[in-house]
Amino acid sequence: MVDKITFMETLHSVQDIMRASASPMTKEEIQVYFKDMDLSTKQQEMIYEFLQKPQQESIEEIEEQEGEDAADTKKQSGAKSLSGAKAKSAQKPQNPHFQMYLKEISAIPALTGEQQNLLYQRLLAGEEAVIEEISHQWLKKVIRIAGEYVTPRVFLEDLVQEGNISLLLGLGQISGNAAEYGVDEAKPLEQTQQKRVEKCLEGFIREGMEQYRRELEGEADSENTILAKVSLLHEARKALAEENGTDPTIEELCEYTRISPQEIADILDLHEKARQ
């Protein structure tokens, strides 16, 4: 079973490398980073497609999509159910790639309950070939879920990315586990069994988004803590200087603010460098 934290950290590292790289990474170069993980061939293919797609879309395609007429705009009305999530992310303009992504998934035809049931049954039987088709059916739901986690610091398109990867991992873990869900591979899934599979997949998606948001908000808390200490130290220096008539020592500042001497020294050092 793939360690989710290690997988996500590796994925983010590869994305950073690809953004900084002057030339596109090959499939083989990408796979090197995941070679120690127990990934199936299908999972590796989906990771490669996920990482490569944004880089492969051309400027001409973007301009063509942006310049389509009103008739095509009307066609996008099928994506109105996603409008709530999109509106919540209005604090950050969506890039053209993400806008195209929204348009593409709005055109994905929905399957009947019977068709979905069959796909889940094949997934539980271990047929990895259905993972991609199931994931496509979940793309709209991932966006709706992502809309619940949007904040001023956490953007919709980033949440969608995290959700899609978490979905991929979840499908990989469910694949071949018919016995765990009490399913007879020779019979169609009962409604309760199908609901259990879907609830489990949604749990994977929400867990990934929640973890991502916690990480970002943790960074925000850390930044706020640092700013608060800088402000406190500034006021402490001012107060002690007025009281004693001289600049306070680090020991005096430490006693006054309860900030460790090392932190005070680091903050003062940064302050001096900023002044220079």
Side-chain angles (χ1 to χ4, degrees):
M1 185 177 293
V2 180
D3 180 78
K4 184 174 181 179
I5 295 177
T6 302
F7 177 84
M8 296 301 287
E9 289 177 347
T10 303
L11 185 69
H12 291 159
S13 297
V14 174
Q15 286 178 307
D16 290 339
I17 293 171
M18 291 179 70
R19 291 190 189 103
S21 177
S23 57
M25 292 178 66
T26 65
K27 181 177 179 179
E28 290 71 25
E29 289 173 331
I30 291 174
Q31 289 177 342
V32 167
Y33 292 93
F34 300 92
K35 63 182 178 64
D36 295 327
M37 300 183 190
D38 187 20
L39 298 175
S40 66
T41 301
K42 188 65 176 178
Q43 287 174 319
Q44 292 178 21
E45 290 291 338
M46 292 182 73
I47 290 169
Y48 176 70
E49 179 182 354
F50 172 82
L51 288 170
Q52 286 291 91
K53 188 173 181 180
Q55 285 74 31
Q56 290 175 342
E57 290 176 339
S58 66
I59 297 298
E60 291 77 15
E61 290 175 323
I62 295 172
E63 292 174 345
E64 180 182 348
Q65 290 291 342
E66 291 178 335
E68 288 180 345
D69 58 19
D72 188 65
T73 301
K74 184 177 180 181
K75 183 179 178 182
Q76 294 181 45
S77 60
K80 284 184 178 178
S81 58
L82 309 179
S83 59
K86 291 167 69 177
K88 290 182 71 175
S89 68
Q91 76 278 14
K92 177 189 177 183
Q94 293 168 357
N95 64 47
H97 295 304
F98 190 65
Q99 292 173 350
M100 290 178 66
Y101 171 78
L102 292 175
K103 181 181 291 186
E104 288 171 0
I105 69 170
S106 71
I108 296 176
L111 299 180
T112 65
E114 184 178 349
Q115 290 172 322
Q116 291 178 334
N117 186 293
L118 179 58
L119 286 177
Y120 292 138
Q121 185 180 9
R122 292 171 60 190
L123 176 72
L124 290 169
E127 291 188 41
E128 294 185 350
V130 302
I131 288 180
E132 184 174 0
E133 189 170 357
I134 294 175
S135 67
H136 285 172
Q137 288 296 310
W138 274 77
L139 294 178
K140 296 177 185 177
K141 186 176 291 187
V142 169
I143 293 180
R144 295 190 190 99
I145 296 173
E148 301 176 23
Y149 294 90
V150 172
T151 71
R153 285 182 59 89
V154 185
F155 304 125
L156 178 64
E157 58 199 79
D158 297 326
L159 287 165
V160 169
Q161 189 176 69
E162 295 294 325
N164 286 341
I165 287 298
S166 297
L167 172 63
L168 172 63
L169 290 174
L171 288 168
Q173 291 191 31
I174 291 176
S175 179
N177 287 328
E180 183 179 334
Y181 289 84
V183 173
D184 183 346
E185 297 180 18
K187 298 179 180 179
L189 271 66
E190 298 177 4
Q191 187 175 9
T192 54
Q193 293 171 329
Q194 181 173 336
K195 292 294 184 184
R196 184 184 173 190
V197 171
E198 291 174 340
K199 185 175 181 180
C200 185
L201 289 175
E202 182 172 335
F204 279 110
I205 294 168
R206 289 187 180 277
E207 181 184 353
M209 293 181 182
E210 288 171 359
Q211 180 178 335
Y212 176 70
R213 188 169 71 173
R214 283 196 301 269
E215 290 174 357
L216 286 189
E217 290 178 344
E219 291 176 5
D221 291 342
S222 177
E223 291 172 2
N224 290 335
T225 299
I226 293 172
L227 290 173
K229 288 181 178 180
V230 171
S231 178
L232 175 60
L233 192 58
H234 174 75
E235 294 300 324
R237 291 183 71 183
K238 183 178 177 181
L240 289 172
E242 291 177 355
E243 181 180 333
N244 301 327
T246 59
D247 274 344
T249 64
I250 289 181
E251 289 73 20
E252 289 174 328
L253 289 170
C254 177
E255 183 178 354
Y256 188 97
T257 63
R258 303 300 180 187
I259 301 174
S260 70
Q262 183 59 54
E263 280 188 285
I264 292 175
D266 290 341
I267 292 173
L268 292 177
D269 183 51
L270 287 173
H271 180 67
E272 287 300 320
K273 288 180 179 179
R275 290 179 60 185
Q276 295 174 2

